[in-house]
Amino acid sequence: MNARLTERDSDTEQEPPTRGGLRANRDFRLLWIGETTNRVGINITAVAMPLVATVTLKESLFSVSLLAAAPWLPWLLIGLPAGAWVDRMRRRPIMQICNLVPLVLLASVPVAGWLGILTLTQLLFVALINGFAAVFFGISYKVYVPSIVGPEDLQEANAKLQGSESVAQVAGLGGGGLLAQVFGATSGLLVNSATFLVSALCLSGIRKKEPIPEKPTERPALVQDIKEGLRFAFKDPYLRVLTLYGTVTNLLLTAEAAILPVFILRGLGVPEGATGWLLASSSVGGILGAANAKRLIARFGSARGLLVATVFSAPFALLIPLTNKNWTLSALVVGSAVLSLGVVLANVIQGAFRQRYCPPQLLGRVSASISVANFGAIPIGSLLGGTLGTVLGMRPTLWLLTAGLALTPLLLLIGPLRGRRDLPVAPATR
């Protein structure tokens, strides 16, 4: 996935010779299948829960945005200590537990619906606890990948994981709407819960023994561990600017995503099943982004390719507010797909960069520090979208948010990326 250079530079990220390392890696295939299935379940939840609140419980736009914020609130509450804990423990058992929790909780929603006792409070509780599980799963899997994949295969592994995440969005978002239309909004969550069981079983089949994290003779306090991760993440010029870009982008994207399902359902009068597929349309761009990341990096380099991908794709967000009930529905599809193309390309490049750039003993804490900033913006963005949509109206809010998204690539120009072809493989002090 990195650019292939004619001369080796120890400060520059490089592409190893093409080989089929991952094709023979059974453990990675199981992780890949398990993670993809997990993402399918998460995306079904993302569309099914707002549909339950909107269609079944008849909740307000602000209540729906509150429900969208709940799964991401745990990043603000425990994201930093979770990174320190993950660095101290084996990751696969954590991921297995984090699959079983949503399996049980999501199954409780249709049961409550059949009994006639389902409330918004239960939905918020389920979303919040699932969010805690997602925090530990997300940090653990990012740290776990390098333990079963060699450094020369990390770029390819991240591209495959990002590509399958986009496929999971198509299947999850589209399938969530279809399940809601066929079986009812609450009953679709029962099918959703089974995806987490499949993910847990895949993780159980991985054969490679995960190394136990080294225990120092004198374990520093948890607070000291957290500070060390924060210091590395936010003092480094590359990680700092990438985190700023990711945080602002997530804030605006989730503010837009919080009101988009309601805008499509109520503003455009689109049926539930079609709403899911419209929301999933952006994932087509994500699939193309993952498939073409290697070509982009080979052509422009990893640092310059990141700039090219974001600058080209972000302005297409302005097509989304043009959507109407007629043929202009295509504006939503095109705008969302191209925007997703740029986001996934950026994620592939950044993911492999962090896994190779950060010291292994700090990777969990650094990933958590960055994720707290990136994902902590999501509940704020969801509430922001619901508030602005209530006060200004849905379409004016979409114009405001997408205009901000079109400008986010400018943030990448304030750091050292603009002067490089490729991202470094190690900090200058190492």
Side-chain angles (χ1 to χ4, degrees), residues 248-258 339 343 405:
V248 174
T249 301
N250 275 357
L251 178 75
L252 297 173
L253 277 173
T254 51
E256 178 244 1
L339 186 62
V343 168
L405 283 168

Side-chain angles (χ1 to χ4, degrees), residues 218-239:
E218 194 171 322
R219 170 75 73 183
L222 186 66
V223 173
Q224 187 61 35
D225 270 353
I226 293 171
K227 286 181 179 178
E228 191 177 5
L230 284 169
R231 192 180 303 116
F232 188 93
F234 296 115
K235 283 192 173 182
D236 183 89
Y238 294 95
L239 294 175

Side-chain angles (χ1 to χ4, degrees), residues 32 67 100 177 216 234 238 255 286 294 356 368 382 390 405 421 430:
W32 189 14
L67 186 61
L100 297 177
F234 296 115
Y238 294 95
K294 185 173 183 177
R356 298 177 68 177
S382 296
T390 302
L405 283 168
R421 184 181 190 275
R430 286 180 63 193

Side-chain angles (χ1 to χ4, degrees), residues 151-390:
E152 68 278 5
D153 289 320
L154 279 176
Q155 198 77 267
E156 181 185 354
N158 279 280
K160 289 183 182 300
L161 288 166
Q162 284 289 327
S164 62
E165 183 172 332
S166 297
V167 172
Q169 283 183 325
V170 174
L173 296 177
L178 188 60
L179 286 170
Q181 191 166 10
V182 175
F183 300 107
T186 55
S187 298
L189 288 173
L190 192 60
V191 178
N192 179 11
S193 67
T195 62
F196 293 94
L197 177 60
V198 174
S199 179
L201 292 174
C202 287
L203 288 170
S204 298
I206 293 176
R207 293 173 183 167
K208 187 173 182 180
K209 189 174 181 181
E210 182 183 358
I212 299 174
E214 292 183 11
K215 292 183 179 180
T217 53
E218 194 171 322
R219 170 75 73 183
L222 186 66
V223 173
Q224 187 61 35
D225 270 353
I226 293 171
K227 286 181 179 178
E228 191 177 5
L230 284 169
R231 192 180 303 116
F232 188 93
F234 296 115
K235 283 192 173 182
D236 183 89
Y238 294 95
L239 294 175
R240 186 170 58 240
V241 71
L242 291 174
T243 302
L244 175 64
Y245 165 76
T247 300
V248 174
T249 301
N250 275 357
L251 178 75
L252 297 173
L253 277 173
T254 51
E256 178 244 1
I259 64 172
L260 197 57
V262 183
F263 174 69
I264 295 171
L265 277 167
R266 295 178 180 171
L268 303 179
V270 176
E272 296 167 33
T275 295
W277 289 112
L278 279 174
L279 293 173
S281 62
S282 65
S283 305
V284 176
I287 296 169
L288 293 174
N292 290 282
K294 185 173 183 177
R295 294 186 185 91
L296 178 81
I297 297 169
R299 173 67 178 84
F300 296 103
S302 54
R304 203 173 297 161
L306 178 61
L307 293 174
V308 169
T310 53
V311 169
F312 167 78
S313 62
F316 278 83
L318 293 169
L319 290 175
I320 295 173
L322 294 173
T323 305
N324 218 314
K325 297 180 182 180
N326 50 30
W327 62 269
T328 56
L329 273 173
S330 60
L332 185 147
V333 175
V334 174
S336 298
V338 178
L339 186 62
S340 178
L341 171 72
V343 168
V344 169
L345 283 168
N347 286 344
V348 170
I349 295 170
Q350 292 181 78
F353 165 64
R354 284 195 299 266
Q355 288 166 344
R356 298 177 68 177
Y357 185 78
C358 300
Q361 71 275 14
L362 280 173
L363 185 54
R365 282 166 283 169
V366 172
S367 295
S369 300
I370 294 171
S371 295
V372 166
N374 288 174
F375 298 152
I378 290 178
I380 299 171
S382 296
L383 295 175
L384 176 66
T387 302
L388 290 176
T390 302

